[in-house]
Amino acid sequence: DSGVTQTPKHLITATGQRVTLRCSPRSGDLSVYWYQQSLDQGLQFLIHYYNGEERAKGNILERFSAQQFPDLHSELNLSSLELGDSALYFCASSRGLAAYNEQFFGPGTRLTVL
Amino acid sequence: KNEVEQSPQNLTAQEGEFITINCSYSVGISALHWLQQHPGGGIVSLFMLSSGKKKHGRLIATINIQEKHSSLHITASHPRDSAVYICAVCPTGTASKLTFGTGTRLQVTL
Protein backbone atom coordinates (compact mmCIF):
# COMPACT_ATOMS: atom_id res chain seq x y z
CA ASP A 1 0.00 0.00 0.00
CA SER A 2 1.60 3.24 -1.18
CA GLY A 3 -0.54 5.46 1.05
CA VAL A 4 -2.00 7.21 -2.01
CA THR A 5 -5.71 6.68 -2.54
CA GLN A 6 -7.74 7.18 -5.68
CA THR A 7 -11.47 7.04 -6.19
CA PRO A 8 -13.33 5.61 -7.91
CA LYS A 9 -11.48 2.46 -8.96
CA HIS A 10 -13.63 1.96 -12.02
CA LEU A 11 -15.78 4.37 -13.96
CA ILE A 12 -17.95 3.61 -16.96
CA THR A 13 -19.60 6.49 -18.73
CA ALA A 14 -20.80 7.65 -22.14
CA THR A 15 -19.29 9.95 -24.72
CA GLY A 16 -19.95 13.61 -24.06
CA GLN A 17 -20.17 13.17 -20.29
CA ARG A 18 -18.04 14.73 -17.56
CA VAL A 19 -16.31 12.86 -14.71
CA THR A 20 -14.19 13.74 -11.71
CA LEU A 21 -11.35 11.58 -10.47
CA ARG A 22 -10.09 12.08 -6.94
CA CYS A 23 -6.65 11.56 -5.41
CA SER A 24 -5.48 11.79 -1.81
CA PRO A 25 -1.70 11.95 -1.46
CA ARG A 26 0.41 10.33 1.24
CA SER A 27 0.46 12.20 4.52
CA GLY A 28 3.04 14.98 4.30
CA ASP A 29 3.43 14.88 0.51
CA LEU A 30 2.92 18.25 -1.14
CA SER A 31 3.26 17.21 -4.78
CA VAL A 32 0.55 15.48 -6.78
CA TYR A 33 1.11 14.26 -10.32
CA TRP A 34 -1.53 12.97 -12.72
CA TYR A 35 -0.73 10.43 -15.43
CA GLN A 36 -2.72 8.76 -18.17
CA GLN A 37 -1.96 5.23 -19.34
CA SER A 38 -3.62 4.10 -22.54
CA LEU A 39 -2.90 0.99 -24.58
CA ASP A 40 -1.54 2.89 -27.57
CA GLN A 41 0.28 5.77 -25.82
CA GLY A 42 1.67 4.17 -22.68
CA LEU A 43 2.16 6.35 -19.59
CA GLN A 44 1.98 10.08 -20.15
CA PHE A 45 2.41 12.96 -17.74
CA LEU A 46 -0.66 15.19 -17.53
CA ILE A 47 -0.17 17.78 -14.80
CA HIS A 48 1.70 18.51 -11.55
CA TYR A 49 0.52 20.42 -8.50
CA TYR A 50 2.65 21.43 -5.55
CA ASN A 51 1.06 22.76 -2.38
CA GLY A 52 -2.01 23.94 -4.22
CA GLU A 53 -0.29 25.54 -7.19
CA GLU A 54 -0.04 24.21 -10.72
CA ARG A 55 3.64 23.64 -11.51
CA ALA A 56 3.70 22.01 -14.92
CA LYS A 57 1.48 20.74 -17.67
CA GLY A 58 2.22 17.90 -20.00
CA ASN A 59 0.08 16.40 -22.72
CA ILE A 60 -3.18 17.44 -21.11
CA LEU A 61 -6.14 18.18 -23.34
CA GLU A 62 -8.07 21.42 -22.95
CA ARG A 63 -11.12 19.31 -22.04
CA PHE A 64 -9.23 18.16 -18.94
CA SER A 65 -8.56 20.27 -15.88
CA ALA A 66 -7.29 19.66 -12.40
CA GLN A 67 -6.89 21.35 -9.05
CA GLN A 68 -5.30 20.72 -5.69
CA PHE A 69 -7.24 21.76 -2.63
CA PRO A 70 -5.96 23.24 0.67
CA ASP A 71 -6.08 19.77 2.28
CA LEU A 72 -3.77 18.68 -0.60
CA HIS A 73 -6.16 16.24 -2.22
CA SER A 74 -6.49 16.68 -5.95
CA GLU A 75 -9.20 16.23 -8.53
CA LEU A 76 -8.89 15.63 -12.25
CA ASN A 77 -11.92 16.71 -14.26
CA LEU A 78 -12.51 15.21 -17.69
CA SER A 79 -15.27 16.71 -19.81
CA SER A 80 -16.83 16.12 -23.25
CA LEU A 81 -15.50 12.61 -23.01
CA GLU A 82 -14.49 10.74 -26.15
CA LEU A 83 -13.87 7.05 -26.75
CA GLY A 84 -10.15 7.75 -26.86
CA ASP A 85 -10.17 9.00 -23.28
CA SER A 86 -10.64 5.44 -22.06
CA ALA A 87 -7.52 4.72 -20.05
CA LEU A 88 -6.04 4.14 -16.62
CA TYR A 89 -5.52 7.38 -14.75
CA PHE A 90 -2.91 7.36 -12.01
CA CYS A 91 -2.00 9.95 -9.51
CA ALA A 92 1.29 9.93 -7.65
CA SER A 93 2.56 11.97 -4.75
CA SER A 94 5.99 12.96 -3.49
CA ARG A 95 7.46 15.07 -0.71
CA GLY A 96 9.35 17.58 -2.80
CA LEU A 97 8.81 19.78 -5.78
CA ALA A 98 10.83 18.00 -8.43
CA ALA A 99 10.01 14.88 -10.42
CA TYR A 100 13.34 13.32 -9.50
CA ASN A 101 12.01 12.68 -6.01
CA GLU A 102 10.58 9.22 -5.42
CA GLN A 103 6.94 9.12 -6.41
CA PHE A 104 4.31 6.96 -4.76
CA PHE A 105 1.54 5.85 -7.09
CA GLY A 106 -2.11 5.34 -6.32
CA PRO A 107 -3.96 2.24 -7.53
CA GLY A 108 -5.41 4.09 -10.51
CA THR A 109 -8.88 4.78 -11.84
CA ARG A 110 -9.91 2.77 -14.89
CA LEU A 111 -12.11 4.94 -17.09
CA THR A 112 -14.17 3.35 -19.82
CA VAL A 113 -16.02 5.63 -22.23
CA LEU A 114 -18.73 3.89 -24.24
CA LYS B 1 11.76 8.26 -32.31
CA ASN B 2 10.79 8.15 -28.64
CA GLU B 3 12.96 10.03 -26.17
CA VAL B 4 13.10 6.88 -24.05
CA GLU B 5 13.64 3.44 -25.57
CA GLN B 6 13.55 0.18 -23.68
CA SER B 7 14.74 -3.25 -24.72
CA PRO B 8 13.65 -5.92 -24.92
CA GLN B 9 9.91 -5.27 -25.22
CA ASN B 10 9.14 -8.77 -23.97
CA LEU B 11 11.25 -11.18 -21.99
CA THR B 12 10.61 -14.71 -20.81
CA ALA B 13 12.97 -16.28 -18.31
CA GLN B 14 13.13 -19.37 -16.16
CA GLU B 15 13.21 -19.11 -12.41
CA GLY B 16 16.72 -18.43 -11.17
CA GLU B 17 17.97 -16.68 -14.31
CA PHE B 18 19.80 -13.37 -14.29
CA ILE B 19 17.80 -10.74 -16.14
CA THR B 20 18.82 -7.45 -17.70
CA ILE B 21 16.47 -4.76 -18.99
CA ASN B 22 17.91 -1.80 -20.85
CA CYS B 23 16.85 1.82 -21.15
CA SER B 24 18.36 4.37 -23.54
CA TYR B 25 17.37 8.00 -23.70
CA SER B 26 18.19 10.84 -26.05
CA VAL B 27 17.93 13.93 -23.85
CA GLY B 28 19.87 15.36 -20.94
CA ILE B 29 18.34 14.28 -17.66
CA SER B 30 18.47 15.12 -14.00
CA ALA B 31 17.28 11.68 -12.90
CA LEU B 32 15.97 8.34 -14.08
CA HIS B 33 13.32 6.18 -12.45
CA TRP B 34 12.66 2.48 -12.71
CA LEU B 35 9.06 1.48 -12.04
CA GLN B 36 7.35 -1.88 -11.74
CA GLN B 37 3.77 -2.35 -12.87
CA HIS B 38 2.06 -5.46 -11.54
CA PRO B 39 -0.39 -7.50 -13.63
CA GLY B 40 -3.23 -5.93 -11.65
CA GLY B 41 -2.09 -2.48 -12.80
CA GLY B 42 -0.50 -1.06 -9.65
CA ILE B 43 2.78 0.86 -10.07
CA VAL B 44 5.66 0.75 -7.63
CA SER B 45 8.77 2.92 -7.74
CA LEU B 46 11.87 0.71 -7.61
CA PHE B 47 14.77 3.14 -8.00
CA MET B 48 15.62 6.75 -8.64
CA LEU B 49 19.10 7.26 -10.10
CA SER B 50 21.13 10.30 -10.99
CA SER B 51 24.49 8.52 -11.15
CA GLY B 52 26.22 5.24 -10.45
CA LYS B 53 24.48 2.20 -9.10
CA LYS B 54 21.83 1.25 -6.55
CA LYS B 55 20.92 -2.14 -5.11
CA HIS B 56 17.81 -3.29 -3.32
CA GLY B 57 17.53 -6.97 -2.54
CA ARG B 58 17.82 -8.88 -5.81
CA LEU B 59 17.43 -5.74 -7.91
CA ILE B 60 20.35 -3.65 -9.16
CA ALA B 61 20.06 -0.49 -11.24
CA THR B 62 22.91 1.27 -12.99
CA ILE B 63 23.16 4.44 -15.01
CA ASN B 64 25.80 5.84 -17.36
CA ILE B 65 25.00 9.51 -17.84
CA GLN B 66 27.61 10.01 -20.59
CA GLU B 67 26.23 7.13 -22.64
CA LYS B 68 22.59 8.00 -21.81
CA HIS B 69 21.90 4.44 -20.77
CA SER B 70 20.56 2.61 -17.73
CA SER B 71 20.12 -1.05 -16.92
CA LEU B 72 17.93 -2.88 -14.45
CA HIS B 73 19.22 -6.28 -13.34
CA ILE B 74 17.29 -8.96 -11.47
CA THR B 75 19.37 -11.69 -9.91
CA ALA B 76 17.89 -15.13 -9.15
CA SER B 77 14.59 -14.26 -10.84
CA HIS B 78 11.35 -15.57 -9.39
CA PRO B 79 7.82 -15.89 -10.81
CA ARG B 80 6.71 -13.04 -8.52
CA ASP B 81 9.06 -10.77 -10.52
CA SER B 82 6.69 -11.14 -13.50
CA ALA B 83 5.55 -7.60 -14.27
CA VAL B 84 6.09 -4.72 -16.66
CA TYR B 85 9.22 -2.69 -15.91
CA ILE B 86 9.12 0.93 -16.98
CA CYS B 87 11.97 3.39 -17.31
CA ALA B 88 11.16 7.09 -16.90
CA VAL B 89 13.46 10.10 -17.21
CA CYS B 90 13.26 13.60 -15.82
CA PRO B 91 14.61 15.80 -18.65
CA THR B 92 16.93 18.62 -17.64
CA GLY B 93 15.05 21.86 -17.20
CA THR B 94 11.67 20.19 -16.76
CA ALA B 95 11.60 19.62 -13.04
CA SER B 96 8.05 18.34 -12.95
CA LYS B 97 7.88 16.16 -16.00
CA LEU B 98 8.62 12.46 -16.40
CA THR B 99 8.94 10.93 -19.86
CA PHE B 100 8.25 7.22 -19.92
CA GLY B 101 9.52 4.30 -21.93
CA THR B 102 7.02 1.82 -23.30
CA GLY B 103 7.97 -0.84 -20.79
CA THR B 104 9.45 -4.32 -20.78
CA ARG B 105 7.05 -7.17 -20.06
CA LEU B 106 8.82 -9.86 -18.03
CA GLN B 107 7.44 -13.35 -17.52
CA VAL B 108 9.35 -15.66 -15.19
CA THR B 109 8.34 -19.31 -15.35
CA LEU B 110 9.04 -22.21 -12.99
Side-chain angles (χ1 to χ4, degrees):
Chain A
D1 183 359
S2 67
V4 179
T5 60
Q6 287 187 251
T7 57
K9 286 187 179 174
H10 301 276
L11 199 47
I12 302 174
T13 189
T15 54
Q17 295 299 304
R18 173 189 168 93
V19 297
T20 297
L21 312 184
R22 182 187 170 105
C23 170
S24 292
R26 287 190 326 154
S27 177
D29 285 358
L30 299 178
S31 273
V32 171
Y33 301 84
W34 284 99
Y35 299 101
Q36 179 193 58
Q37 186 178 38
S38 59
L39 282 175
D40 56 342
Q41 297 279 350
L43 269 165
Q44 292 196 91
F45 165 70
L46 294 178
I47 198 164
H48 171 215
Y49 278 85
Y50 178 81
N51 203 21
E53 288 189 13
E54 180 187 303
R55 300 296 300 191
K57 275 187 175 180
N59 299 323
I60 187 166
L61 299 170
E62 285 190 11
R63 300 183 286 106
F64 296 1
S65 65
Q67 54 184 324
Q68 187 180 29
F69 294 88
D71 68 352
L72 300 176
H73 91 272
S74 179
E75 293 181 356
L76 179 68
N77 301 295
L78 316 177
S79 62
S80 303
L81 284 167
E82 301 176 359
L83 296 177
D85 298 327
S86 296
L88 263 172
Y89 291 85
F90 289 99
C91 78
S93 73
S94 70
R95 290 249 184 266
L97 176 59
Y100 51 70
N101 292 301
E102 182 177 8
Q103 295 187 20
F104 297 85
F105 284 77
T109 293
R110 184 174 297 277
L111 174 66
T112 302
V113 183
L114 300 176
Chain B
K1 183 170 163 52
N2 292 333
E3 288 183 343
V4 183
E5 299 275 355
Q6 286 187 237
S7 63
Q9 285 188 315
N10 295 283
L11 184 54
T12 301
Q14 285 198 314
E15 184 177 10
E17 285 187 12
F18 181 85
I19 289 161
T20 296
I21 299 170
N22 296 299
C23 175
S24 296
Y25 50 92
S26 57
V27 296
I29 67 169
S30 55
L32 180 146
H33 295 255
W34 281 102
L35 310 172
Q36 179 192 53
Q37 186 166 27
H38 297 289
I43 296 175
V44 175
S45 176
L46 298 176
F47 295 102
M48 189 283 294
L49 294 159
S50 55
S51 64
K53 177 179 175 178
K54 285 190 177 180
K55 183 176 190 293
H56 186 256
R58 294 179 296 106
L59 302 178
I60 304 166
T62 63
I63 189 168
N64 185 318
I65 295 290
Q66 286 73 31
E67 294 187 1
K68 293 187 167 61
H69 181 268
S70 176
S71 293
L72 176 68
H73 305 287
I74 306 176
T75 62
S77 59
H78 189 275
R80 65 175 174 267
D81 298 325
S82 298
V84 176
Y85 292 83
I86 301 168
C87 168
V89 302
C90 184
T92 308
T94 61
S96 290
K97 180 184 173 186
L98 285 183
T99 303
F100 297 86
T102 53
T104 295
R105 185 174 300 274
L106 171 65
Q107 180 76 36
V108 182
T109 59
L110 292 169

